[in-house]
Amino acid sequence: MKNIPVVYRREMASYFATPLAYVFIIIFLTLMGIFTFYLGGLFGRGQSDLQPFFVWHPWLYLFLAPALGMRLWAEERKTGTIELLMTLPVSTLEAVAGKFLAAWSMMAVSLALTFPMWITVNVLGDPDNGVIVAGYLASLLMAGSYLAVSGFVSALTRNQVIAFVVSAAVCFVFLLSGFPLVLDFFRPWLPASMVKAIAAMGFLQHFDSIIKGVLNAVDFVYFITFTALWLYAGSWAVENYRN
Amino acid sequence: MSSRVEVHDLRKSFGTIVAVDGISFTVDSGEILGFLGPNGAGKSTTMRILTGYLPPDSGSVSICGIDILHRPVPAKARIGYLPEGAPLYPEMTPASFLGFVADIRGITGNGKAQRLARVAEIMHLKEVWHQPIETLSKGFKRRVGLAQAIVHDPDVLILDEPTDGLDPNQKREVRQLVRDMARDKAIIISTHILEEVHAVCTRAAIISRGRIVADGTPGELEAMSEYNHAVTIQVRADDAVSLSGAIARLPDVRKVDTLPLADRLVEITAFPAGGERIITGISRMLQEGSWDIVEVRHESGRLDEVFLSLTAGGAEEAQGGAR
């Protein structure tokens, strides 16, 4: 696992060697601001918490995460550098993990830069900071889950547009898998227990319960497990889709 | 004592297309093996299997005694590889890119700085050391690609068309670099340029439709040509008929070709029967006769002709002929 930091540093350097990192962070913060203040009405609610901020994260990540994740492998396949990378003495899992951690760090940096919102609600009122910390943590873990899916999809194609669209679609299914939109599709032909299992897979229920202050370890474990499984799938895809 | 590279009965198909169809060979230290073959013959696929990028359907590859399928990371550590087209990360500089490769290869501290300086010197990269790779000329990019393959001074060097797309000066330079590195390494290069075999390789394997159809030194391959030991004579057109008739009557001559040239000259080529030298007999005859000779040439075989006959049908006949 000693090569994870090496791959990670190269990826990070490449984010910041191009406008990608800056453009991403600026768009991320702008969108967060617009959604929180205009659509979420942070000030109008008369409540000092960050619910109107967090509630948009699952929807914004739906395209922000695939935007970062689409290039992870598709770009390497397009330019042929995947052949260079995978013939270096680095294991596939190391490469997958290093790349994922770099993309995840981009999300983490962007998310951390929303700290003025936290300061604002503390200046204006007396929020439950424990719930806010849990909210940030849940948001970060959920971002990781989205990225892991995007990385997997990216390893299956050399076309970044396809990677983006398919990643967003797959994430959308997981986002809403507790809702009739998705469940009605499975209900007619799957046993009730399976439908129930699918319903429990949704990002939204797990995320919502955390940001509402219902802290349950299961919700955190859900995101971590989900991410680990998709990273493993991504590693399998990188191994098996070479040409 | 095992060879640096041992390849046994490799096979690889993509769907219904058989890309590699039972390739076996070995390469020792100090050898430069040239993979020669038309585009699509299976050269790149073979190299991708050797370097652990693609798994074969069957067969084995051992690098310095390490099986690349079972222990890919230590095997890859012994290889330097230039993939086809020399892909590079465009936004990185030679300094950051080669630093990354050195880090992955576990070269650290003082050793790293020294090694990078040495590679920059060998490949003449100093002037572009801190420029983004995407802004470099093709020649520089190729040199960066070669540099990443030798950062760790590997035991085995595998270069897929290292001179493809370079101008004649750059080609010569790259060939010189490869020859200079050959002393303590096993090197495999692929090419479809025949002159490269003479310029670089100690041994050449001609690959056609996924199989090795000939494997030998450049000289041995040339000896498979019907031009080997042939004699070519340029003569005034008036004398051509009588001379070709006289040569055809010599005992060791199998066949005589005539080819009219410009300026009322004719080129006569005499092919030997059974690979014997016929120039002695012919030159004696020329001295005794009164033909108006312009030039006499002893042919040492033509690689292009061997290549053509082996790669365009007739492959079965010549198989293993030059071992």
Side-chain angles (χ1 to χ4, degrees), chain A residues 2-3 6-7 9-11 13-15 17-18 71 75-77 79-92 94 99 239 241-243, chain B residues 14 44-45 48 51-55 72-74 76-77 79 81-84 87-92 96-97 99-101 103-106 148 160:
Chain A
K2 70 178 171 57
N3 278 325
V6 182
V7 174
R9 279 199 302 274
R10 198 210 73 75
E11 288 286 316
S14 114
Y15 283 126
T18 59
R71 57 172 283 287
E75 191 179 37
E76 298 248 7
R77 290 179 52 145
T79 60
T81 48
I82 187 170
E83 195 173 343
L84 202 69
L85 181 63
M86 299 321 293
T87 52
L88 289 171
V90 54
S91 73
T92 308
E94 282 175 325
K99 278 171 167 286
E239 267 304 93
Y241 286 78
R242 291 267 161 103
N243 262 23
Chain B
F14 300 104
S44 289
T45 305
R48 284 174 175 165
T51 53
Y53 180 66
L54 287 179
V73 172
K76 285 171 183 174
I79 303 175
Y81 177 40
L82 177 72
E84 189 178 12
L88 301 163
Y89 293 107
E91 74 282 357
M92 299 181 93
S96 63
F97 174 62
F100 162 70
V101 174
D103 286 341
I104 285 223
R105 294 200 175 275
Q148 67 70 33
D160 199 349

Side-chain angles (χ1 to χ4, degrees), chain A residues 72-233:
Chain A
L72 285 179
W73 293 100
E75 191 179 37
E76 298 248 7
R77 290 179 52 145
K78 180 105 182 169
T79 60
T81 48
I82 187 170
E83 195 173 343
L84 202 69
L85 181 63
M86 299 321 293
T87 52
L88 289 171
V90 54
S91 73
T92 308
L93 210 53
E94 282 175 325
V96 167
K99 278 171 167 286
F100 165 78
L101 288 174
W104 201 24
S105 298
M106 284 296 302
M107 294 292 264
V109 168
S110 308
L111 194 58
L113 288 173
T114 62
F115 71 91
M117 303 225 189
W118 190 357
I119 294 176
T120 306
V121 289
N122 270 287
V123 168
L124 295 178
D126 184 23
D128 183 341
N129 280 319
V131 172
I132 291 177
V133 170
Y136 269 109
L137 192 59
S139 177
L140 187 60
L141 290 177
M142 186 173 59
S145 297
Y146 277 101
L147 279 175
V149 171
S150 306
F152 166 79
V153 175
S154 174
L156 298 177
T157 175
R158 62 182 60 215
N159 186 321
Q160 294 197 41
V161 177
I162 292 175
F164 177 84
V165 173
V166 174
S167 301
V170 175
C171 289
F172 184 73
V173 169
F174 280 105
L175 177 63
L176 291 182
S177 71
F179 290 77
L181 180 71
V182 171
L183 290 182
D184 285 350
F185 174 75
F186 291 108
R187 210 164 265 141
W189 51 279
L190 277 182
S193 58
M194 291 284 283
V195 174
K196 225 173 155 185
I198 290 169
M201 292 277 283
F203 289 168
L204 217 46
Q205 305 96 296
H206 293 282
F207 186 68
D208 274 351
S209 62
I210 297 175
I211 63 168
K212 280 178 187 140
V214 185
L215 299 187
N216 194 334
V218 171
D219 297 319
F220 292 96
V221 170
Y222 162 78
F223 284 118
I224 293 167
T225 313
F226 186 93
T227 304
L229 285 175
W230 282 91
L231 285 180
Y232 192 77

